[in-house]
Amino acid sequence: MPTLSTERLTRATSLLRLAESKVRILRSIAWSPEVKERFFADGARELPRVSYPSFDAAPVHAQLAEARALIDFEPVIDAWLGRTADAIATSADLLASVEKPAFLEYGARLYGLPTTPHAGGSPIELARTFDRVFAEVSHVDLGAPPAACHLADAVAVRMREACDTLFGTDAPEVLVVDHLSANALAGPRRVQIRRDACFTDRDVEQLVQHEAYVHVCTSLNGGHQDAVPILGASHAGTTRTQEGLAVFAEFITGTLDPDRTRRLADRVLAIQMAIEGADFLQVYRYYRERAASESQAFESTRRVFRGGVLTGGAPFTKDSVYLDGFLRVSDFLRSVVSLGRTDGLQLLFCGKLDVDDIPALARLAELGLCRPPLYLPPWASDHRYLVTFLAYTSFLSSLPPSDHHASDTAMLAHVPVLRGFGRNERGPRAAADDGSDPD
């Protein structure tokens, strides 16, 4: 086995990061605001007219070849670096195939498909379960406060406070911008919030947990990994775990609500519709039945078709990773707790990585080449609730199907539904009865 050279490792991972820096998927397939304006000016009856910049994958592949020539360390490290190089190469090929059927093939390699099997079930199965359950409880008053719109400037104040508290002098700049493909976007140097976006009370804290306490956190931690620079790069090979970890953060902190969860499920269902041949207009009409506005329906449909084939068959599958990654990260953290391996939680925040990279990073940490994370979100640094919750869910997952569910179902089938029972007419829930609540 060759001796592990720190200099060669740093050189190889620096080359991987240099290659990755040439591949900006979301930026390259973003739609200009004019696309949306034309779509509605035409009465929302014609496919959008979109153009993308051309992309030459050859320079990226050449850079990767130079990096691959240096990869000869230990099997577990070589496997990780090889997967990273493959993900960057596939990302380049994805951009070179926009608006072509091959776009789906490369996207599936990077992000999977809604039907990709997982030990805990596929994303499409989880999405359909969420969709069914939320439809069944749609008549239930869940106790949400009256509809509210927190404007971008107010959200920015909360985001700055959260970033300053956790990151101190490393805190990113928080900006309110006019044009953004999402409501918010976070990186190690800046967090951007779209000026015309409207946020609910839960949205605000979701953004803090998701964008600041995961995406910014892992970016900053990765940026401090001097011996392994690739850990500071958000390449597509890390997307599943990074988005899954961010959704898990929402979940474990109690900020993941039915509206947000249903949006994540709808993304998976819409991607599957497009894979099966639905075009942009068909998916837009699907969203129009569910979204609060035409604008929101358009934005949700745009996420599915950006870079892909507007007539159907080859969508952008990235949004499958939110539920897929949520399943994977949840499984991993249950294993961490059941085995008493809290070092695994520390490794998960060392930078931009995939769960499958943990063995390689553990080896590098053993050699002193991967540093512990500088920053951890509150839920990950205070393990009390996390361990309790995951220990309980680990126990539940080990149980065989219970007879109680069948007997409870039979019992409740004969119990009358008490609609409105228990509502607090004096408290904030009373607003649900006066028509002001969107549900």
Side-chain angles (χ1 to χ4, degrees):
M1 181 181 296
T3 302
L4 198 155
S5 164
T6 303
E7 293 76 16
R8 187 154 52 85
L9 175 69
T10 301
R11 175 62 177 160
T13 56
S14 294
L15 287 170
L16 288 174
R17 181 156 193 182
L18 184 60
E20 181 275 336
S21 69
K22 296 179 171 65
V23 185
R24 289 291 174 262
I25 294 177
L26 298 185
R27 185 184 305 168
S28 299
I29 62 175
W31 291 11
S32 69
E34 290 74 24
V35 173
K36 182 177 180 180
E37 293 169 4
R38 287 198 302 267
F39 178 76
F40 286 115
D42 293 336
R45 292 187 298 269
E46 299 180 10
L47 294 177
R49 297 188 293 276
V50 189
S51 61
Y52 300 99
S54 60
F55 185 83
D56 182 6
V60 176
H61 285 287
Q63 197 91 63
L64 291 172
E66 188 179 352
R68 289 181 196 273
L70 297 171
I71 299 175
D72 188 17
F73 303 102
E74 299 178 5
V76 68
I77 296 173
D78 292 350
W80 163 53
L81 295 176
R83 287 195 305 273
T84 300
D86 290 344
I88 297 169
T90 303
S91 300
D93 293 335
L94 176 82
L95 288 184
S97 64
V98 295
E99 298 185 289
K100 300 174 184 176
F103 188 79
L104 176 63
E105 175 189 346
Y106 293 121
R109 290 186 199 174
L110 290 172
Y111 309 115
L113 298 170
T115 54
T116 298
H118 184 278
S122 66
I124 193 71
E125 290 171 333
L126 182 56
R128 287 170 177 162
T129 298
F130 282 144
D131 188 58
R132 173 181 55 79
V133 170
F134 292 147
E136 290 173 353
V137 301
S138 60
H139 67 280
V140 177
D141 174 17
L142 300 178
C149 180
H150 296 263
L151 300 179
D153 288 331
V155 175
V157 170
R158 172 69 183 111
M159 185 68 75
R160 289 189 193 101
E161 176 188 62
C163 289
D164 290 344
T165 299
L166 184 59
F167 306 122
T169 57
D170 277 344
E173 183 180 13
V174 179
L175 303 172
V176 176
V177 299
D178 291 326
H179 300 296
L180 199 64
S181 60
N183 284 346
L185 193 63
R189 289 182 295 274
R190 65 182 61 88
V191 176
Q192 300 177 78
I193 301 170
R194 199 176 75 228
R195 188 179 305 280
D196 63 354
C198 181
F199 303 90
T200 68
D201 60 328
R202 284 293 177 89
D203 288 339
V204 177
E205 292 306 312
Q206 285 165 12
L207 285 174
V208 169
Q209 297 296 333
H210 188 113
E211 301 293 348
Y213 286 173
V214 171
H215 290 327
V216 173
C217 189
T218 54
S219 291
L220 291 175
N221 289 336
H224 284 86
Q225 301 288 357
D226 296 335
V228 196
I230 191 61
L231 287 176
S234 301
H235 63 84
T238 69
T239 302
R240 177 183 65 161
T241 292
Q242 294 303 303
E243 296 296 357
L245 182 59
V247 173
F248 181 85
E250 296 176 39
F251 178 70
I252 200 68
T253 57
T255 59
L256 184 63
D257 64 4
D259 287 339
R260 165 70 166 162
T261 307
R262 190 159 199 168
R263 289 199 300 272
L264 297 179
D266 281 345
R267 292 175 185 177
V268 176
L269 298 172
I271 289 170
Q272 187 61 31
M273 286 176 60
I275 290 173
E276 294 173 359
D279 65 15
F280 183 95
L281 292 174
Q282 290 170 310
V283 175
Y284 170 75
R285 286 192 286 269
Y286 165 80
Y287 269 118
R288 190 65 194 91
E289 295 177 355
R290 294 170 172 245
S293 66
E294 292 180 341
S295 176
Q296 183 180 330
F298 177 89
E299 293 298 338
S300 296
T301 310
R302 174 193 58 78
R303 293 181 68 101
V304 175
F305 284 91
R306 49 187 168 166
V309 179
L310 294 176
T311 53
F316 186 44
T317 65
K318 172 186 173 287
D319 281 351
S320 293
V321 304
Y322 290 86
L323 293 188
D324 188 22
F326 182 37
L327 287 169
R328 183 68 181 96
V329 169
S330 298
D331 278 350
F332 175 74
L333 290 176
R334 280 202 297 268
S335 299
V336 161
V337 168
S338 64
L339 297 173
R341 294 292 304 272
T342 56
D343 56 322
L345 179 59
Q346 295 282 326
L347 286 168
L348 197 58
F349 278 91
C350 281
K352 295 296 184 183
L353 54 95
D354 184 80
V355 167
D356 292 341
D357 303 337
I358 293 292
L361 300 184
R363 176 58 179 151
L364 292 174
E366 188 179 38
L367 296 170
L369 299 176
C370 179
R371 296 173 174 172
L374 282 176
Y375 305 109
L376 287 173
W379 65 265
S381 56
D382 182 348
H383 297 166
R384 289 173 295 180
Y385 176 68
L386 176 67
V387 168
T388 303
F389 175 80
L390 291 175
Y392 177 62
T393 58
S394 294
F395 170 74
L396 287 181
S397 65
S398 68
L399 294 177
S402 171
D403 292 336
H404 289 296
H405 176 69
S407 62
D408 289 344
T409 300
M411 175 186 68
L412 289 171
H414 300 287
V415 174
V417 177
L418 306 177
R419 300 185 186 280
F421 183 73
R423 287 180 178 172
N424 180 3
E425 300 300 333
R426 294 171 298 173
R429 296 185 189 181
D433 293 331
D434 65 8
S436 63
D437 190 290
D439 289 338

